[in-house]
Amino acid sequence: MVSSLKELIDEPELGHGNDPEERFISSGVSWESYESLLAKLENNSHYRVNYLDGILEIVSPSIRHEKIKTNLGMLLERFFYSKRIRFVPMGSSTFKNKAKKAGAEPDECYCIGEEKKVSDLAIEVVLTSGNVSKLEIYRRLGVAEVWFWERNQFKLYHLRDNSQTELATVYPDTYGYEALSKSEILPELDISLLERCLTISDSIQAIDEFEQGLKATDELKQ
């Protein structure tokens, strides 16, 4: 990856780089420079760009990262279809708010029910740590629920403090989000089942086990 923000904006062609997982972080970046970079990357879906209070983070995901992201989306959409939950997949859409100096591109995100300006659920696949607080970005954007897939398990957070204050006053240690063991926007989803199936490398086997698990859960409820 290039070594400076100016190089990123001025470079005529942005490739994937030699390193399978690269991260570029720069501070003191203006909102105008952030938007210039987004415009530059408009037709390059490989990068994920996050912005918070002048700190810019650009991630070039690895193949492993993208496999997890794709399989996760595949399993979640099977769940939506199975439960007849209407949803709008928004992939790695860019969400930003100039007034709150925040912007993000999640790995996967969904609106539940109908399309909205900001997704109800944002999902991040974490293979390497970053310096930009994703939960603070999502609090400012107003995303109701955020999931992190890290070390083969999920960490779920639901927004409790969506006030307009500069800093969260409710659950301040997690930027206004409460840590959960169960999703509030998808209460019927067995998170442990999703975790188990997401670690299966064979996609067909993962789908089979996931659907069998969903069926078994439904049968127990009858």
Side-chain angles (χ1 to χ4, degrees):
M1 187 175 286
V2 292
S3 59
S4 73
L5 180 63
K6 186 175 187 304
E7 286 182 64
L8 273 169
I9 296 174
D10 293 344
E11 193 174 77
E13 291 292 336
L14 287 169
H16 286 189
N18 296 321
D19 189 344
E21 183 105 4
E22 298 177 298
R23 187 179 299 274
F24 171 86
I25 297 173
S26 181
S27 60
V29 178
S30 68
W31 185 266
E32 291 71 25
S33 294
Y34 165 59
E35 291 201 317
S36 294
L37 180 62
L38 291 179
K40 172 68 179 178
L41 297 176
E42 185 176 4
N43 297 318
N44 190 327
S45 62
H46 182 69
Y47 292 95
R48 307 278 192 278
V49 182
N50 302 292
Y51 183 91
L52 178 66
D53 292 335
I55 298 175
L56 181 77
E57 179 186 61
I58 306 164
V59 180
S60 171
S62 64
I63 293 174
R64 178 179 168 226
H65 179 285
E66 295 299 88
K67 284 182 177 178
I68 294 170
K69 157 192 155 62
T70 301
N71 287 342
L72 172 57
M74 176 180 64
L75 293 175
L76 267 182
E77 292 182 18
R78 293 274 176 167
F79 170 78
F80 291 137
Y81 289 128
S82 172
K83 300 299 180 182
R84 312 306 293 169
I85 297 173
R86 296 196 179 279
F87 71 100
V88 180
M90 303 185 77
S92 296
S93 298
T94 301
F95 300 100
K96 57 184 179 175
N97 187 313
K98 182 178 181 179
K100 297 184 178 181
K101 298 181 286 187
E105 294 175 348
D107 288 310
E108 292 286 356
C109 61
Y110 298 90
C111 291
I112 308 302
E114 61 183 8
E115 186 171 347
K116 307 174 183 75
K117 291 184 178 179
V118 176
S119 64
D120 298 300
L121 171 63
I123 305 174
E124 298 279 352
V125 175
V126 181
L127 298 184
T128 57
S129 60
N131 291 342
V132 176
S133 171
K134 294 290 180 66
L135 283 178
E136 176 60 13
I137 293 175
Y138 287 127
R139 180 183 80 90
R140 296 189 192 184
L141 295 174
V143 177
E145 203 159 286
V146 183
W147 300 0
F148 295 97
W149 171 257
E150 188 172 4
R151 295 179 181 149
N152 291 341
Q153 64 181 14
F154 281 106
K155 294 179 181 178
L156 278 59
Y157 296 91
H158 196 93
L159 184 60
R160 300 298 184 208
D161 186 344
N162 57 1
S163 63
Q164 300 301 309
T165 57
E166 184 175 347
L167 298 175
T169 56
V170 180
Y171 295 100
D173 291 342
T174 48
Y175 303 97
Y177 283 84
E178 180 185 5
L180 305 174
S181 58
K182 181 179 180 180
S183 171
E184 289 191 5
I185 64 173
L186 299 175
E188 293 184 82
L189 178 61
D190 183 340
I191 295 297
S192 62
L193 172 65
L194 182 60
E195 288 175 336
R196 185 170 73 252
C197 294
L198 197 51
T199 61
I200 299 172
S201 58
D202 184 279
S203 297
I204 293 178
Q205 182 184 351
I207 291 173
D208 286 345
E209 291 202 20
F210 188 66
E211 292 186 336
Q212 288 169 12
L214 292 177
K215 184 178 179 181
T217 301
D218 290 340
E219 290 174 349
L220 287 174
K221 292 179 180 179
Q222 293 178 358

